[in-house]
Amino acid sequence: MADELETFRREVRDWLEANCPSEMRTPMRSEKDVCWGGRNFTFASDAQKQWLEVMAQRGWTVPDWPKEYGGGGLSPAEAKVLKQEMAALGCRVPLQSFGISMLGPALLEYGTEEQKLEHLPKIARGEIRWCQGYSEPNAGSDLASLATSAEDKGDHFLVNGQKVWTSYADQADWIFCLVRTDTSQKQGGISFLLFDMESEGVSTKPILLISGSSPFCETFFDDVKVPKDQVLGEINQGWTVAKYLLGHEREMISGMGGRAQGPSLSEYALGKLGRDEQGRLDDPVLRARIAMFEVRSHAFAAMSERFMDRLKAGRIHPAQPSMMKYYGTELNKDRHELLMAAGGSDALEWESESSGEGKAARAWLRTKANSIEGGTSEIQLNIIAKRILELPEG
Ligand SMILES: Cc1cc2nc3c(=O)[nH]c(=O)nc-3n(C[C@H](O)[C@H](O)[C@H](O)COP(=O)(O)OP(=O)(O)OC[C@H]3O[C@@H](n4cnc5c(N)ncnc54)[C@H](O)[C@@H]3O)c2cc1C
């Protein structure tokens, strides 16, 4: 088994060497380098397009999905080897999407065969980009209070209502959306719908953020017709699907706490502040904070690896993604606080060319959202208290 894995590792390395364009082996410079795919996506370069195509052809945009749905059919151990070899060569992730990290797992678990065959290969090839219609103006942390209605019209639903904070809704092709199909029950009256954002009656309005970008929208539904076969799972059982998907979303967001590409925090701080006579970072307070951060960061990396192994083996507690999400996002916020502290006033530059148009400051502000998106830190702590520590309700 170990021999087979080593053979596989060599094959993967050779294949990556031969097929990953050199431009795709450099760290991403900004969000603009992320390949999201979709009908409206404009590739940043030919190399980016080529990298997506060769990886999708091999099924390696979603290495552990079954081959019949566009995946690579790799075992968890093989998928891990691929990830390690890509990291060793500095290969960029060829495709990032909510289809891969959120909807795909839910489709694999709850989809009909027709739904899987229709949607999964298009996600794997980066042809269709999905957005997530969960939150509403009066339903965020208390998501089950959602009010967007889906009225039963025989062969279809008529959807009316509003979502908010819908990331990239103005660029997405399809939405996975929570709607109310029964007003007599809270969780038990929710269904999980899939529909095209080009359907008549769907409109979006981008929301401008403090960071200067506009990554999410208000999304409005005005008599949108959705065929009944586009319900994922059973009617009125959407809460079960929604929670399953949230586990995968939280797992994905927790990854932000992982070690970033490029120089480590210590290397960056040394470059900015220099060394004292003993060769240490020339700022004792920051040195202590960075040392503590590095310890926590290594501990989190070790815990993440164990978590992923157990997840792939189907052996995690259902509330464990909340633990990972809480710690990973708080860690990522700390990392950017320290980067700003080490960078001094230069790091606050907002528009100059030398600062990469405020790359550090904008990234720092963006991390503030990490502990809100996918459920706030307070909500994760409530889940951990209730479901893992089994504490009584406060
Ligand atoms: C960057 C970003 C991207 C997002 N993308 C999407 C998306 O694509 N699709 C989507 O549907 N949503 C998205 N969201 C929305 C996100 O899921 C919600 O913002 C989040 O669930 C919190 O809901 P809320 O904003 O309504 O805050 P509220 O629920 O109003 O919470 C306000 C404050 O009260 C606290 N609070 C609330 N209830 C409790 C409680 N019971 N115990 C303790 N504290 C509590 C919260 O922790 C928070 O600090 C995104 C959010 C961000 C920041």
Side-chain angles (χ1 to χ4, degrees):
M1 184 65 198
D3 282 355
E4 277 170 33
L5 216 51
E6 271 320 296
T7 310
F8 178 72
R9 186 183 293 281
R10 276 195 302 279
E11 284 167 11
V12 166
R13 195 174 304 159
D14 291 347
W15 188 88
L16 291 173
E17 290 271 18
N19 288 283
C20 184
S22 54
E23 191 187 320
M24 292 296 107
R25 294 190 210 174
T26 56
M28 293 200 198
R29 290 152 302 178
S30 70
E31 164 80 9
K32 288 179 193 145
D33 284 336
V34 175
C35 179
W36 288 98
R39 290 178 196 140
N40 306 314
F41 185 70
T42 308
F43 288 97
S45 65
D46 289 345
Q48 190 187 49
K49 185 165 184 279
Q50 186 192 335
W51 182 221
L52 170 61
E53 283 170 1
V54 288
M55 285 293 271
Q57 211 167 25
R58 196 107 203 209
W60 284 0
T61 50
V62 280
D64 53 0
W65 287 11
K67 284 190 172 170
E68 62 268 35
Y69 307 132
L74 301 188
S75 66
E78 289 170 334
K80 195 167 165 183
V81 164
L82 172 61
K83 202 172 166 192
Q84 288 167 343
E85 291 305 314
M86 284 177 68
L89 284 178
C91 304
R92 290 186 191 174
V93 173
L95 178 66
Q96 181 175 304
S97 76
F98 297 168
I100 292 178
S101 52
M102 298 193 225
L103 180 63
L107 271 167
L108 285 165
E109 184 73 16
Y110 295 101
T112 61
E113 193 55 21
E114 289 73 24
Q115 287 172 333
K116 290 182 197 175
L117 288 169
E118 170 63 22
H119 298 297
L120 291 169
K122 290 178 187 167
I123 293 173
R125 294 193 297 262
E127 289 169 6
I128 293 292
R129 181 172 179 178
W130 288 82
C131 63
Q132 177 189 35
Y134 274 32
S135 308
E136 297 183 5
N138 292 313
S141 300
D142 185 14
L143 185 59
S145 296
L146 62 92
T148 292
S149 68
E151 205 185 326
D152 193 332
K153 292 285 181 186
D155 65 341
H156 67 274
F157 288 111
L158 208 56
V159 178
N160 280 287
Q162 186 199 336
K163 296 289 169 181
V164 74
W165 316 125
T166 328
S167 298
Y168 309 111
D170 52 344
Q171 293 163 51
D173 306 310
W174 276 62
I175 186 167
F176 48 91
C177 190
L178 295 180
V179 293
R180 183 152 299 288
T181 34
D182 182 348
T183 48
S184 68
Q185 306 178 65
K186 201 173 176 188
Q187 280 89 348
I190 292 171
S191 298
F192 195 111
L193 294 188
L194 312 173
F195 54 94
D196 196 319
M197 289 294 279
E198 282 179 6
S199 310
E200 203 172 317
V202 179
S203 59
T204 60
K205 198 168 149 203
I207 302 168
L208 187 64
L209 300 190
I210 189 175
S211 65
S213 62
S214 192
F216 44 34
C217 298
E218 292 178 278
T219 306
F220 303 92
F221 308 120
D222 188 10
D223 280 346
V224 181
K225 263 175 97 169
V226 179
K228 282 259 180 78
D229 61 1
Q230 290 175 202
V231 176
L232 181 56
E234 302 292 315
I235 294 173
N236 290 332
Q237 297 297 314
W239 189 244
T240 307
V241 184
K243 280 193 302 183
Y244 182 82
L245 184 143
L246 270 176
H248 284 270
E249 178 177 7
R250 289 171 182 161
E251 170 210 324
M252 181 260 299
I253 296 172
S254 78
M256 290 166 180
R259 295 175 70 75
Q261 272 190 320
S264 71
L265 186 50
S266 319
E267 286 161 343
Y268 174 79
L270 280 171
K272 285 283 173 192
L273 299 167
R275 297 175 188 272
D276 65 12
E277 297 100 54
Q278 288 158 278
R280 302 173 306 184
L281 180 68
D282 197 10
D283 180 329
V285 175
L286 200 55
R287 194 165 69 223
R289 285 176 63 197
I290 291 178
M292 184 49 78
F293 171 84
E294 295 287 5
V295 170
R296 291 173 59 216
S297 174
H298 276 98
F300 181 72
M303 190 167 95
S304 296
E305 191 162 348
R306 183 160 175 265
F307 169 77
M308 289 311 290
D309 286 346
R310 291 174 67 91
L311 180 76
K312 300 286 177 204
R315 288 174 46 218
I316 60 155
H317 185 289
Q320 217 172 334
S322 291
M323 230 167 76
M324 302 301 295
K325 200 260 170 187
Y326 171 72
Y327 203 82
T329 56
E330 294 297 333
L331 198 62
N332 199 36
K333 286 201 297 188
D334 287 351
R335 177 170 203 278
H336 283 264
E337 285 292 338
L338 288 166
L339 283 169
M340 293 304 283
S345 54
D346 287 354
L348 290 168
E349 280 278 353
W350 192 245
E351 279 171 333
S352 69
E353 213 173 294
S354 61
S355 69
E357 291 174 350
K359 191 176 163 195
R362 287 171 202 267
W364 167 62
L365 289 173
R366 176 61 182 82
T367 63
K368 303 295 174 199
N370 291 164
S371 48
I372 302 174
E373 59 198 321
T376 66
S377 279
E378 289 78 13
I379 294 302
Q380 305 319 308
L381 288 172
N382 284 349
I383 294 172
I384 294 163
K386 204 166 118 188
R387 310 220 23 223
I388 296 185
L389 302 175
E390 296 181 9
L391 297 174
E393 300 240 15

